[in-house]
Amino acid sequence: AITVPTDRSARQAIGLARQMLAGASAPSLPEQGLFYYDIRDARKLHRGKVALLFPGQGPQYANMLRALSAEYPIIGETFHEADRIFATMAGGRRLSETFWVPPEAEAAYRQSDDTAHAAVFLANVALYRLIRAHGVRVDVLLGQSAGEYAALVASGILSLEDGLRAIYRRTLAVIDLPGDTRGRMVSISGDLDAVRYVLSKAPAYATLAAENAPGQGIIAGEDAGVEFVTRWCAAHGLEARVLPVSH
């Protein structure tokens, strides 16, 4: 099964998937939105339990789920519910309006620091509700960072309102922390052992904050340290992408 992003031709996506399955091409950070699975896989993963991992801040983008909200009422209803709740906390602002922008403004879009977590949280919950509405059974719910709040809502431990209020207040508390810079995060794909060595030479604090998979991780730290490592990655052919995070 292949899920193809809207900005890629099916022919191109299938060709890349074939290369990956044949071991001729390594997964690449820019290939987000391309997922594949072969039911002939000896592990028979499709017969096992289903787990959902809700991401934290970083994957948000302009007009996130806007098209889906027009196609599936449950998405639109979830957004409307969240907008009503968020307006009572944020001076009347609607949460969806912080990332739904005119097409001509997409290139310059940047999610505001105070709403980044809440936006991803809302997308997580809306997509979960859509999945469940289509009868998909989920056995395990997990959350990464701010995604933990979405997992709690999905499990029924928190209501949407309680989860949204908690994530927004958490964000405001972080923003109010003292300091001239909140640092930055960068996603790295490549030789992480080499990255660890370069981190030790950085002029300011930076660390490998997460190792998501072999050859793929996240570095985080002070601006100068992270920028030093990012420049090194660019010069040595490692993929590096600055994540749109508030801290």
Side-chain angles (χ1 to χ4, degrees), residues 114 117-119 121-122 145-147 149-150 162-172:
D114 67 320
H117 292 94
F121 164 84
L122 172 55
S145 185
Y149 291 83
D162 288 341
L164 184 54
R165 290 187 181 279
I167 195 72
Y168 186 58
R169 289 171 180 170
R170 172 185 181 271
T171 302
L172 295 181

Side-chain angles (χ1 to χ4, degrees), residues 109-125:
Y109 159 82
R110 183 185 183 281
Q111 185 75 38
S112 59
D113 289 346
D114 67 320
T115 59
H117 292 94
V120 174
F121 164 84
L122 172 55
N124 279 333
V125 174

Side-chain angles (χ1 to χ4, degrees), residues 154-177:
S155 69
I157 294 175
L158 292 179
S159 66
L160 176 66
E161 179 169 357
D162 288 341
L164 184 54
R165 290 187 181 279
I167 195 72
Y168 186 58
R169 289 171 180 170
R170 172 185 181 271
T171 302
L172 295 181
V174 171
I175 290 176
D176 288 340
L177 291 174

Side-chain angles (χ1 to χ4, degrees), residues 58-81:
Q60 66 270 13
Y61 57 92
N63 292 317
M64 183 167 54
L65 304 194
R66 192 168 194 169
L68 278 182
S69 72
E71 294 290 336
Y72 297 100
I74 195 167
I75 297 286
E77 291 165 5
T78 302
F79 272 54
H80 179 74
E81 181 184 357

Side-chain angles (χ1 to χ4, degrees), residues 23-46:
S25 174
S28 176
L29 284 177
E31 305 310 329
Q32 293 179 8
L34 172 61
F35 306 96
Y36 61 88
Y37 174 69
D38 189 339
I39 62 172
R40 296 169 297 179
D41 190 312
R43 295 171 295 174
K44 302 298 180 186
L45 301 179
H46 58 290

Side-chain angles (χ1 to χ4, degrees), residues 194-208 219-232:
V195 171
R196 288 187 180 90
Y197 174 77
V198 177
L199 283 166
S200 69
K201 305 298 181 181
Y205 175 74
T207 186
L208 184 63
I219 62 170
E222 298 175 358
D223 289 352
V226 173
E227 184 177 349
F228 174 84
V229 178
T230 303
R231 288 200 305 266
W232 182 91

